[in-house]
Amino acid sequence: MSSRAVLPPGPAAPPLVQTARWVRDPVTFFERCRNRYGRRFTVRFLFGPPIVSLSDPAEVKAIFGAPPDVLEPGFGGKILEPVLGSRSVLVLDGDDHLRQRRLMLPAFHGERMATLTGVLEEVTERAVAEWPRDRPIELHPRLQALTLEVILRAVFGLEPGPRLDALRTVFTAYLEEASKPHNMPTGLQRDLGRLSPWGRFLRVREQALGLVSAEIARRRTADQGDHGDVLAMLLGATEEDGTPMRDLDIRDELVTLLVAGHETTASQLAWTCERLVRTPDVLARAQAAVDAGDDAYLTATIQEALRCRPVLMFAQPRFVARPITVGDVAYPAGSCALTANVHLVHHDPDIYPDPYAFRPERFLEQAPGTFTWLPFGGGRRRCLGQAFAMLEMRVVLAALLRTTDLARDPAAAPGDEAHLRRHITVSPAEGARLVLQSRRTTRPAAAAA
Ligand code: HEM
């Protein structure tokens, strides 16, 4: 790596201090950098190369459109390799990445997603009906359980029963171990036996991978038919020359989908509810829209929550593998990684007037822009699960608004919930604490999705 390259200015504090500041309060960290250095600055974290944060839409466009051999996002995902596996689409770069992504894309096509609506609604209705009413609760852990159930059913096509129970138990433990701060992969952890934190993580991982492999083998040997699930699609996927996907590749992609699709969606829904109970006029309008079967306002509400509180505050950093000029800055090969700073683009008053206001109407007036609305990243690394996540969030939010009145916890401190960083995502620090009041006039299910 060339350490002498002249990169855009940024904080001078040592990487340890910058990492600690980002971990403690990512919003303040990024906003202070923007206030001091503008839309382009360099941050240095403990592991990996310097990261240049860009938030001018023209520069964002340049990152997302750069050829894969110039910017290599897989570098950013490498840190997740111990959790996702070396064949994960999030970890791979170049041709390998494109090949895997092409094989997976059909499973996430909008039309394909629509066939999952039934499962989504069934799982959601049951869960929402069980959540306590009329007393303060933390919604986030309940949403995590719900989104895990949804993704397990959608990915594996399993009906409730012992196999689904086993996967749920093991993956709950796996995701919990993986999200512990000391298990954030650094390359320095060692397996010191089952009593050591990393040792425990590796053993749960072995169990989780074993169950996924067993499920793949079972589906390969018995003709289970196509239940519209992702596994069926991947088992049937072939490369241009007819070669099917290897079991190991399928295994790593399934684990990737479980990890990438569960916490993100749960946290985003938690933020949406956190915003709604703090903006009663929007809440009232969203509930009326659900009652009337008006999907447009519900969708705009979710888009606005994704703008105000993106759970991934920046897109995967793309490593500069070959020289590139973005804006008027030339970045030499190996000098840094470039990232689109989602939070800062979304809170730029030149792009979004009154950016801190929660106002879904802005997306009724104008559809989200490709380089100004970035919760799902962009380019050839854009989130594969976007259609799935949007569908799931609509179904869950519609079910909540149809059957309950969301209200603030009367004992909660005034103000917004702070940002709690959990690994690479941010979620509401109080767990989206609120009250689900029984709705006295429950309307029949409208066309929610
Ligand atoms: C609200 C929910 C979600 C958000 C905010 C979100 C956000 C993101 C972001 C920002 C990226 C990186 C894009 C980039 O760097 O350009 C990403 C990648 C990805 N997401 Fe999501 N995601 C969500 C839900 C899901 C779901 C439900 C799935 C799967 C079912 C999923 C699967 C993936 C995969 C496989 C990638 C890697 C794509 C690649 O590298 O080619 N995500 N997501």
Side-chain angles (χ1 to χ4, degrees), residues 138-206:
E138 284 181 21
L139 199 57
H140 187 223
R142 292 173 168 87
L143 289 166
Q144 284 175 307
L146 169 57
T147 56
L148 180 61
E149 192 71 13
V150 163
I151 195 95
L152 282 172
R153 301 251 333 240
V155 163
F156 292 103
L158 288 174
E159 291 299 320
R163 284 209 310 281
L164 183 62
D165 292 345
L167 278 163
R168 187 189 308 110
T169 306
V170 158
F171 268 94
T172 304
Y174 184 48
L175 295 166
E176 202 180 299
E177 282 299 329
S179 68
K180 289 185 176 157
H182 51 250
N183 281 340
M184 178 131 181
T186 58
L188 301 176
Q189 286 106 338
R190 296 286 170 266
D191 181 3
L192 300 174
R194 62 179 62 249
L195 294 181
S196 67
W198 191 246
R200 253 197 318 274
F201 164 74
L202 291 180
R203 278 154 190 80
V204 184
R205 178 176 80 163
E206 210 175 295

Side-chain angles (χ1 to χ4, degrees), residues 110-435:
E111 282 167 28
R112 188 80 191 175
M113 289 297 100
T115 65
L116 294 172
T117 308
V119 171
L120 265 170
E121 285 177 343
E122 179 200 322
V123 177
T124 302
E125 301 284 339
R126 191 168 334 118
V128 170
E130 282 171 5
W131 293 343
R133 299 291 193 265
D134 304 316
R135 67 174 171 83
I137 56 165
E138 284 181 21
L139 199 57
H140 187 223
R142 292 173 168 87
L143 289 166
Q144 284 175 307
L146 169 57
T147 56
L148 180 61
E149 192 71 13
V150 163
I151 195 95
L152 282 172
R153 301 251 333 240
V155 163
F156 292 103
L158 288 174
E159 291 299 320
R163 284 209 310 281
L164 183 62
D165 292 345
L167 278 163
R168 187 189 308 110
T169 306
V170 158
F171 268 94
T172 304
Y174 184 48
L175 295 166
E176 202 180 299
E177 282 299 329
S179 68
K180 289 185 176 157
H182 51 250
N183 281 340
M184 178 131 181
T186 58
L188 301 176
Q189 286 106 338
R190 296 286 170 266
D191 181 3
L192 300 174
R194 62 179 62 249
L195 294 181
S196 67
W198 191 246
R200 253 197 318 274
F201 164 74
L202 291 180
R203 278 154 190 80
V204 184
R205 178 176 80 163
E206 210 175 295
Q207 285 175 18
L209 296 185
L211 274 187
V212 175
S213 296
E215 202 52 39
I216 297 170
R218 193 183 67 82
R219 292 283 288 272
R220 275 229 195 270
T221 47
D223 179 15
Q224 307 290 325
D226 182 349
H227 307 285
D229 55 279
V230 177
L231 177 51
M233 289 292 289
L234 297 188
L235 287 170
T238 53
E239 303 206 21
E240 275 153 21
D241 64 359
T243 317
M245 277 179 90
R246 296 180 315 160
D247 284 3
L248 266 187
D249 291 1
I250 296 184
R251 183 197 73 183
D252 286 0
E253 299 313 353
L254 294 181
V255 173
T256 299
L257 296 174
L258 293 175
V259 175
H262 149 257
E263 177 61 40
T264 42
T265 316
S267 294
Q268 201 64 64
L269 276 165
W271 275 125
T272 309
C273 295
E274 188 271 353
R275 291 290 80 200
L276 279 173
V277 296
R278 283 165 178 78
T279 31
D281 53 328
V282 174
L283 175 58
R285 195 167 169 194
Q287 195 168 37
V290 168
D291 288 346
D294 162 14
D295 192 35
Y297 196 79
L298 191 65
T299 301
T301 303
I302 294 165
Q303 288 166 335
E304 175 68 342
L306 283 155
R307 183 196 68 81
C308 281
R309 295 289 188 275
V311 295
L312 289 164
M313 294 182 72
F314 52 90
Q316 263 206 74
R318 274 89 160 145
F319 186 61
V320 179
R322 298 173 65 179
I324 183 172
T325 298
V326 178
D328 52 4
V329 180
Y331 299 95
S335 59
C336 61
L338 305 181
T339 189
N341 194 312
V342 181
H343 173 81
L344 293 183
V345 172
H346 288 186
H347 290 87
D348 184 332
D350 290 342
I351 303 172
Y352 295 102
D354 201 3
Y356 292 90
F358 184 61
R359 209 171 62 80
E361 287 73 11
R362 55 176 110 232
F363 291 118
L364 291 179
E365 292 150 12
Q366 196 168 12
T370 312
F371 305 112
T372 50
W373 187 76
L374 319 169
F376 296 103
R380 58 179 70 73
R381 310 297 299 217
R382 170 181 282 276
C383 175
L384 266 175
Q386 175 171 349
F388 184 87
M390 288 301 291
L391 173 66
E392 182 174 1
M393 290 190 286
R394 282 203 303 274
V395 168
V396 174
L397 203 56
L400 268 175
L401 294 174
R402 206 166 41 236
T403 54
T404 70
D405 286 322
L406 304 185
R408 283 191 77 147
D409 170 6
D416 302 340
E417 288 198 27
H419 289 70
L420 176 70
R421 211 196 35 80
R422 312 156 61 88
H423 246 202
I424 54 172
T425 61
V426 284
S427 58
E430 311 298 323
R433 213 173 154 71
L434 47 69
V435 181

Side-chain angles (χ1 to χ4, degrees), residues 78-98:
K78 287 272 185 296
I79 196 163
L80 296 169
E81 186 172 326
V83 180
L84 305 176
S86 59
R87 299 297 299 162
S88 162
V89 73
L90 260 160
V91 170
L92 294 172
D93 267 321
D95 290 347
D96 266 356
H97 166 259
L98 281 183

